[in-house]
Amino acid sequence: MKKTLLAIAVSTSILGVVGTSLACSRLAIDTGENGVIEVRTLDWNTPLGTVAVVHPAGEKDRVNITDGTYKNNAEWTTKYTTVAFEEADFFHKAVPSARNVEGLMVDTLYQSSSFPFLNENISKDTGKPTIGPGQIAFYLAENFKNVAEVIDAYDKGEFDIAWGQQLVGNAGQHGFHVAVTDPTGASVLFQLGIQGETVMYTGNINTSDLGIQTNEPLLPEHRMYTKTFGDFKDVEYGNRIPGGIASKDRFARLSWMNAYHNKESYKGKSFYQALGALNGAFDQAANLAQFIPVGSNIMTQTYDRLLEARGRETQVNNPSGTYPSRIKYTHALGNGYVEMADLDTYRQINFNMDDVVKFTKPMCADMAKQANAGKRKVEFKECGGDLVQLGK
C-alpha cells in the first residue's frame, strides 16, 4: 500500500479522539466465486430516501455544481453508463454512492476529522479540474473503468477533489472521504488530512482494510485503535470491542468481520447465500438501531478545544443524538446486482446494471418510494416531473 502524499501526523496522544454524531458504514468483501460484494448504509437522525439516476454513456454537458471556491470547475461527457444514488429527502440530491456498468463502485462517507482543514485545502487550490462533495462519486464512475485508471488520472493531475466546496454547491461545508473499488478488489481511499492535503491510500481489499469504511478518525488512527484489542483471529477479539455506535468501534468490528469473511470462507456458497452471509456480518458490526444515543467522548471534547485554540472550526457533536441506519445498499460488483433496503420499513427492491446499459438518455427511479409501494424490481422512467436529477 502506498501514500502518494503523507499528510497525516499520527500520535498515540490523539488516538481515537475525534468523534461525531454522523454515521455511515461500508464493508466490501471478495467472496471468490461470487465476486466482490459490498454493503453500506446511510445513517441519519431522520428518514432518508434513494433516487437512482442513470447517466448514459455519451451524455454531454456534465458539470460539477460549484459555489465558486475553486478555480477550475470540472466538465465532462459521460464515458461509462453510471447509476448515481441520489439522496433527495435531506441531502439536497447529493450522491453518496455511484457505480458504472464496468463494476467500478464509488462511496462517499462523512469524515469530521477532515472538517477543520477544509479552508486550508481551498487556499492550496492549484487550478486542476475539481469536483465537490456530493458529486465526486458519479464523476469518478462516469469517467473511469477501474481503480487503476482513477489513480493514474489523479497522479497526472486530471482531477482534484474540492474538499472545501459546499455540498452540491449550496448546502454548507462537510468533511467526507471517498472510497473506490472495482471487481478485482483493487481499491483506493482519498482522505483530507492535516494542513489541507489530500492523502491517497491504494491496495486491494483481499490484502488490506480498504474494504472497510466508517467515519472519523482518519485511517492511521483507525488502524492503531483496532490493534488495542489484540489479533483479529483471537477468538476473544470481538468481545473486547465496545458495542456503541462510535465510528472507531464500528471500524474495529468490521475489521474483525473482515478477518473471517474471505474467498475461502465463501467457497461453495450460492450467490444469495453470499449476500446473506455478508449482510449478516455487516449487521452485527455496523447496522445501527433506532433510539440509541451516540453518547459523549471526553477525548473528543479535549481535541476539539485544542483545534479551536489554533483557530480551527470543528463540527458540533450532540451526545444525545440518535443516528440509526436508514438506507442499506448491497452491490455485487461482478454481476451487476443492486439492492436497496429502506430500514425504516424493511422494504427491499433491486435491479441489475444490465437493465440500464442500453439507456440513451437520463432515466430515474425513486427506489425508496417504489419499495414502499410493494414493488420488488426497480422501474425506471425518463427523468422529469417529480424526479428531477441534480442540477436540472
Side-chain angles (χ1 to χ4, degrees):
M1 184 179 300
K2 71 172 184 177
K3 300 177 187 176
T4 59
L5 177 59
L6 180 57
I8 302 177
V10 181
S11 167
T12 56
S13 65
I14 61 171
L15 175 61
V17 298
V18 183
T20 185
S21 302
L22 312 174
C24 292
S25 304
R26 164 184 159 268
L27 178 63
I29 297 292
D30 188 343
T31 68
E33 298 164 18
N34 293 296
V36 175
I37 301 176
E38 174 188 294
V39 180
R40 76 153 292 181
T41 53
L42 306 180
D43 311 333
W44 201 246
N45 60 357
T46 60
L48 301 174
T50 294
V51 174
V53 180
V54 181
H55 297 285
E59 183 180 353
K60 300 181 183 301
D61 301 321
R62 302 287 288 134
V63 62
N64 174 60
I65 299 172
T66 182
D67 57 8
T69 51
Y70 290 80
K71 301 171 186 175
N72 188 359
N73 198 44
E75 300 179 10
W76 67 95
T77 297
T78 302
K79 187 175 182 180
Y80 300 101
T81 296
T82 292
V83 181
F85 299 90
E86 294 185 357
E87 204 302 301
D89 291 352
F90 189 85
F91 287 105
H92 307 273
K93 299 182 182 178
V95 176
S97 295
R99 64 177 294 178
N100 67 26
V101 293
E102 300 294 332
L104 187 75
M105 186 82 222
V106 188
D107 293 281
T108 60
L109 280 73
Y110 260 98
Q111 177 53 269
S112 68
S113 294
S114 296
F115 183 81
F117 311 108
L118 298 180
N119 289 328
E120 282 182 89
N121 182 258
I122 295 173
S123 71
K124 296 176 183 292
D125 180 18
T126 60
K128 300 173 187 175
T130 54
I131 310 92
Q135 301 168 82
I136 185 66
F138 60 73
Y139 170 83
L140 295 176
E142 289 180 42
N143 283 282
F144 303 108
K145 182 177 182 179
N146 53 41
V147 167
E149 288 190 0
V150 173
I151 295 169
D152 183 61
Y154 182 79
D155 283 341
K156 290 178 178 177
E158 294 177 10
F159 76 91
D160 206 353
I161 302 174
W163 299 102
Q165 179 187 299
Q166 294 187 72
L167 186 69
V168 296
N170 63 2
Q173 290 180 312
H174 299 266
F176 69 105
H177 54 163
V178 184
V180 190
T181 307
D182 69 27
T184 70
S187 191
V188 57
L189 174 70
F190 294 96
Q191 293 191 325
L192 182 68
I194 61 173
Q195 310 305 325
E197 302 281 5
T198 300
V199 183
M200 183 172 72
Y201 301 91
T202 66
N204 192 290
I205 64 173
N206 287 295
T207 54
S208 74
D209 54 7
L210 292 180
I212 304 163
Q213 194 178 11
T214 58
N215 316 111
E216 74 296 327
L218 297 169
L219 183 59
E221 295 174 84
H222 272 306
R223 288 171 170 170
M224 292 172 66
Y225 182 68
T226 61
K227 292 177 181 179
T228 64
F229 303 107
D231 185 270
F232 294 130
K233 285 300 185 78
D234 183 335
V235 294
E236 297 298 332
Y237 185 92
N239 294 327
R240 300 185 185 114
I241 309 171
I245 75 172
S247 58
K248 65 182 188 298
D249 295 324
R250 281 182 277 122
F251 191 95
R253 293 193 296 266
L254 288 168
S255 297
W256 174 44
M257 295 296 169
N258 187 60
Y260 287 90
H261 287 253
N262 50 51
K263 291 180 181 180
E264 184 63 28
S265 57
Y266 278 75
K267 188 175 293 185
K269 287 188 177 296
S270 70
F271 175 65
Y272 288 101
Q273 286 176 325
L275 293 185
L278 185 55
N279 272 276
F282 181 91
D283 289 349
Q284 181 174 347
N287 192 342
L288 306 182
Q290 295 190 28
F291 317 126
I292 305 299
V294 64
S296 60
N297 186 327
I298 188 63
M299 296 179 71
T300 297
Q301 298 163 5
T302 301
Y303 187 57
D304 283 352
R305 284 196 294 270
L306 175 63
L307 288 171
E308 289 161 3
R310 296 178 178 178
R312 301 188 188 279
E313 183 180 0
T314 59
Q315 289 187 300
V316 176
N317 298 291
N318 176 16
S320 298
T322 61
Y323 297 87
S325 299
R326 301 289 188 175
I327 298 290
K328 182 166 72 166
Y329 303 108
T330 302
H331 293 274
L333 275 56
N335 69 14
Y337 181 83
V338 181
E339 179 185 277
M340 186 223 72
D342 185 336
L343 297 178
D344 278 306
T345 59
Y346 214 64
R347 294 293 189 98
Q348 292 136 333
I349 194 167
N350 67 75
F351 70 93
N352 196 287
M353 293 295 291
D354 290 342
D355 302 335
V356 308
V357 70
K358 294 182 179 180
F359 289 167
T360 58
K361 61 181 65 176
M363 302 288 280
C364 291
D366 189 329
M367 294 181 70
K369 184 176 181 179
Q370 290 185 23
N372 286 303
K375 295 180 179 179
R376 300 302 301 270
K377 294 290 183 180
V378 174
E379 298 175 2
F380 287 93
K381 66 178 183 179
E382 189 171 346
C383 300
D386 61 333
L387 293 178
V388 180
Q389 60 180 305
L390 176 64
K392 302 295 183 180

